[in-house]
């Protein structure tokens, strides 16, 4: 039914969406066309490098022209992607208008979908603030700052804040809210019973009952937890039921729960092989801040899956740790690996396969992220990251990055800062740094 509604709405809105490009898009297209026309009349980068070398002014000038063109092409790709995402969100809002939108009491920004993925709940009063406001408060506390207004108290009710690691106290407060009929608290208590946590006994029958009560009140977290329970099944408590799993998962997803949207996307991909459904819900999840969904979307662009055109620009965009705080670096080695190969192949494609021009080389940054994937990834991720590192390092250390002299008996020394360039001596290293390696070099952590 969801897919049928999507098809009907897409058909009815296609003509409206196929309008003339906006001013910014038109300007980018005209600029790109002009740059391509100009560059078509110039010698190729390869011919310039063959004639004058990797560090000559002519090579640098040609590389800069390529970079300027690439930057504009990247801007255009990101603009078109933002329009695609906006169209998906618009379609979702037409099919399922937001039902639980509220304003953050601190910044007054409207949170379109209030659930555990978009807000931080205070168990003292049951109120909440948006995650952006919470992150700002946490950053100030970590920096040694003092919250001058609240001094460790709840910003809403002024009660003393419950310590983050005091789960027992938090769940006791949640139980009080649950007894008052608050759906979000019933989801919390349901989880406590299901896991036997925070001094609550392991009682899955009670846990499921709390989930059902929360789901009956259309709580997105309760709907998702009940869906997961039906997907697992508990002997003597709840029979596994895939149809109910999909029903409650869909309800949670359409109420804007990003984790539910990601899981629903996976069911479209794994069980019914529906690219349209997968792409719709994985895009929604990524737009709502689910970094795992973003990484999956990046994977689809890198390998041209689910009806998407291959794009290392968008693969890099969705794998970039800055887009999801530090998740790619600290929590998702797979994202680090995708970022690594996107950085490498993006330059390889645009610079005619010439990847060692100082100031334009992807090697140090690509190695940086591949090493993170190798150190923190699963056996599979670490294995493919190790292979990539081996390929990049073996090629780079076969010659001096500056004078191009071939190595003899592993005599080259490498840059201790990025471990991504090799030199036959200090003189070459200093010269290479001045020629542009200072822009490529990235400090290893």
């Amino acid at each position: 039914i969801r897919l049928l509604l999507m098809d009907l709405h897409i058909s009815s809105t296609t003509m409206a969406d196929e309008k003339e490009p906006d001013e910014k898009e038109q300007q980018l297209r005209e600029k790109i066309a002009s740059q391509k026309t100009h560059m078509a009349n110039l010698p190729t980068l390869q011919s310039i490098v063959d004639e004058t070398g990797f560090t000559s002014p002519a090579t640098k000038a040609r590389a800069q022209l390529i970079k300027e063109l690439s930057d504009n092409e990247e801007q255009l790709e990101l603009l078109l992607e933002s329009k695609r995402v906006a169209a998906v969100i618009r379609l979702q809002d037409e099919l399922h208008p937001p039902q639980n939108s509220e304003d953050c009491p601190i910044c007054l920004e409207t949170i379109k979908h209030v659930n555990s993925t978009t807000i931080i709940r205070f168990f003292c009063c049951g109120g909440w603030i948006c995650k952006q406001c919470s992150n700002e408060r946490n950053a100030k506390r970590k920096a040694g700052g003092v919250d001058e207004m609240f001094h460790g108290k709840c910003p809403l009710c002024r009660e003393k804040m419950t310590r983050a690691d005091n789960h027992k106290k938090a769940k006791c407060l949640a139980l009080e809210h649950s007894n008052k009929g608050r759906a979000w608290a019933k989801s919390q208590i349901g989880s406590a019973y299901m896991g036997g946590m925070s001094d609550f006994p392991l009682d899955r029958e009670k846990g499921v009952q709390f989930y059902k009560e929360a789901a009956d009140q259309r709580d997105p977290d309760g709907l998702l937890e009940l869906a997961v329970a039906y997907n697992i099944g508990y002997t003597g408590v709840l029979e596994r039921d895939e149809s109910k799993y999909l029903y409650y998962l869909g309800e949670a997803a359409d109420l804007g729960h990003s984790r539910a949207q990601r899981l629903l996307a996976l069911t479209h991909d794994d069980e019914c092989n529906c690219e349209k459904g997968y792409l719709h819900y994985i895009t929604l999840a990524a737009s709502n801040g689910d970094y795992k969904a973003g990484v999956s979307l990046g994977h689809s662009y890198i390998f041209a899956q689910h009806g998407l055109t291959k794009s290392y620009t968008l693969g890099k965009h969705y794998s970039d740790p800055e887009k999801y705080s530090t998740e790619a670096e600290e929590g998702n080695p797979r994202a680090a690996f995708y970022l690594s190969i996107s950085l490498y192949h993006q330059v390889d494609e645009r610079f005619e396969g010439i990847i060692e021009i100082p100031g334009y080389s992807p090697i140090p940054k690509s190695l940086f992220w591949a090493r993170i994937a190798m150190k923190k990834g699963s056996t599979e991720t670490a294995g493919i990251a190790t292979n990539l590192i081996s390929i990049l390092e073996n090629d780079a250390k076969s010659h001096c990055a500056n004078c191009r002299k071939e190595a003899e008996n592993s005599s080259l020394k490498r840059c201790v800062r990025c471990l991504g360039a090799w030199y036959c001596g200090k003189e070459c290293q200093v010269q290479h740094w001045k020629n542009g390696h200072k822009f490529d070099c990235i400090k290893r952590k």
Side-chain angles (χ1 to χ4, degrees):
I1 293 174
R2 283 187 174 82
L3 293 176
L4 178 60
L5 288 172
M6 284 168 56
D7 283 336
L8 290 173
H9 275 71
I10 289 172
S11 299
S12 65
T13 57
T14 297
M15 293 301 293
D17 289 340
E18 291 178 350
K19 55 186 179 182
E20 291 297 319
D22 59 29
E23 184 178 354
K24 185 176 181 181
E25 180 184 341
Q26 187 63 34
Q27 288 176 349
L28 282 170
R29 290 188 182 279
E30 290 174 357
K31 188 181 291 186
I32 290 169
S34 175
Q35 288 174 309
K36 286 184 174 180
T37 300
H38 172 64
M39 292 172 64
N41 299 318
L42 300 176
T44 64
L45 178 62
Q46 185 65 64
S47 65
I48 296 174
V49 170
D50 290 343
E51 184 177 345
T52 66
F54 281 78
T55 61
S56 69
T59 296
K60 288 295 189 70
R62 187 70 166 87
Q64 183 60 29
L65 288 177
I66 294 174
K67 183 181 184 303
E68 290 171 0
L69 171 61
S70 299
D71 288 345
N72 287 328
E73 289 177 329
E74 185 164 335
Q75 284 186 52
L76 180 59
E77 278 197 77
L78 292 173
L79 176 62
L80 295 176
E81 175 65 2
S82 71
K83 290 184 176 183
R84 185 192 72 82
V85 173
V88 170
I89 295 172
R90 185 167 60 250
L91 172 61
Q92 180 69 10
D93 288 347
E94 290 173 359
L95 292 171
H96 307 281
Q99 299 179 21
N100 53 343
S101 300
E102 293 184 48
D103 293 342
C104 171
I106 301 296
C107 66
L108 303 182
E109 287 290 326
T110 299
I111 307 303
K112 187 161 70 171
H113 302 291
V114 175
N115 57 65
S116 62
T117 67
T118 60
I119 66 164
I120 297 297
R121 181 78 64 177
F122 297 111
F123 291 96
C124 46
C125 59
W128 58 269
I129 61 175
C130 69
K131 286 202 169 181
Q132 179 64 33
C133 288
S134 175
N135 291 340
E136 290 175 0
R137 286 167 58 86
N138 290 337
K140 189 173 183 179
R141 185 173 64 251
K142 287 180 180 179
V146 178
D147 192 326
E148 296 178 359
M149 182 178 293
F150 302 114
H151 295 287
K153 295 181 180 179
C154 171
L156 305 179
C157 70
R158 311 297 194 271
E159 288 290 323
K160 186 176 180 181
M161 294 279 286
T162 304
R163 285 172 54 90
D165 58 354
N166 192 346
H167 302 294
K168 180 179 177 181
K169 175 66 173 176
K171 287 298 187 277
C172 286
L173 291 171
L175 183 58
E176 294 177 11
H177 289 292
S178 175
N179 292 336
K180 295 176 182 177
R182 292 171 180 168
W184 65 265
K186 292 179 181 180
S187 296
Q188 292 277 343
I189 299 304
S191 295
Y193 276 120
M194 293 296 285
M197 302 179 295
S198 305
D199 281 356
F200 280 72
L202 179 64
D203 191 332
R204 288 184 172 140
E205 187 172 355
K206 277 189 177 181
V208 168
Q209 183 58 40
F210 275 102
Y211 284 160
K212 286 182 176 180
E213 291 178 11
D216 288 343
Q217 293 178 252
R218 304 284 294 163
D219 176 65
D221 296 296
L223 288 163
L224 173 60
E225 295 300 342
L226 186 57
V228 172
Y230 272 115
N231 188 45
I232 297 173
Y234 296 99
T235 304
V237 177
L238 194 73
E239 289 187 11
R240 188 179 185 281
D241 190 323
E242 186 174 354
S243 64
K244 288 186 178 180
Y245 165 64
L246 293 174
Y247 169 76
Y248 286 112
L249 187 63
E251 292 293 294
D254 291 335
L255 283 173
H257 199 295
S258 61
R259 183 184 167 212
Q261 290 167 340
R262 171 167 51 85
L263 292 176
L264 188 58
L266 295 177
T267 65
H268 284 293
D269 190 35
D270 296 337
E271 296 180 15
C272 58
N273 196 26
C274 176
E275 291 184 341
K276 187 179 296 183
Y278 172 84
L279 189 57
H280 178 80
Y281 282 105
I282 206 70
T283 299
L284 286 175
S287 71
N288 285 326
D290 188 291
Y291 79 90
K292 290 183 179 180
V295 174
S296 295
L297 197 51
H299 176 274
S300 296
Y301 272 114
I302 291 170
F303 298 101
Q305 296 176 341
H306 304 106
L308 296 173
T309 302
K310 177 179 286 190
S311 171
Y312 293 116
T313 290
L314 296 177
K316 181 181 72 173
H317 171 69
Y318 282 109
S319 302
D320 192 338
E322 292 183 359
K323 186 173 176 61
Y324 306 100
S325 301
T326 56
E327 298 289 6
E329 181 179 343
E330 296 178 1
N332 198 319
R334 194 162 60 102
F337 176 72
Y338 294 154
L339 181 55
S340 174
I341 60 175
S342 294
L343 288 167
Y344 178 85
H345 286 293
Q346 187 181 44
V347 174
D348 184 57
E349 279 189 350
R350 293 175 173 177
F351 285 75
E352 304 172 22
I354 302 172
I355 58 172
E356 292 186 81
I357 299 174
Y360 303 90
S361 175
I363 295 174
K365 291 182 177 67
S366 184
L367 282 171
F368 173 86
W369 291 109
R371 288 169 183 143
I372 287 175
M374 179 185 69
K375 290 178 182 178
K376 302 184 178 182
S378 64
T379 302
E380 180 183 4
T381 300
I384 55 178
T386 301
N387 289 337
L388 176 61
I389 292 168
S390 178
I391 292 171
L392 293 179
E393 287 189 346
N394 287 339
D395 182 58
K397 68 184 180 182
S398 65
H399 55 269
C400 174
N402 184 62
C403 68
R404 315 294 297 174
K405 179 181 178 181
E406 291 189 7
E408 296 180 2
N409 301 321
S410 301
S411 59
L412 301 183
K413 308 296 182 183
R414 64 171 155 180
C415 174
V416 296
R417 189 171 187 268
C418 68
L419 302 181
W422 281 256
Y423 306 101
C424 56
K426 184 176 180 180
E427 184 178 341
C428 275
Q429 182 175 9
V430 171
Q431 188 175 357
H432 193 247
W433 177 266
K434 292 178 179 179
N435 283 336
H437 182 64
K438 60 185 176 183
F439 301 113
D440 303 329
C441 192
I442 181 171
K443 188 175 182 180
R444 57 196 174 94
K445 296 182 180 179

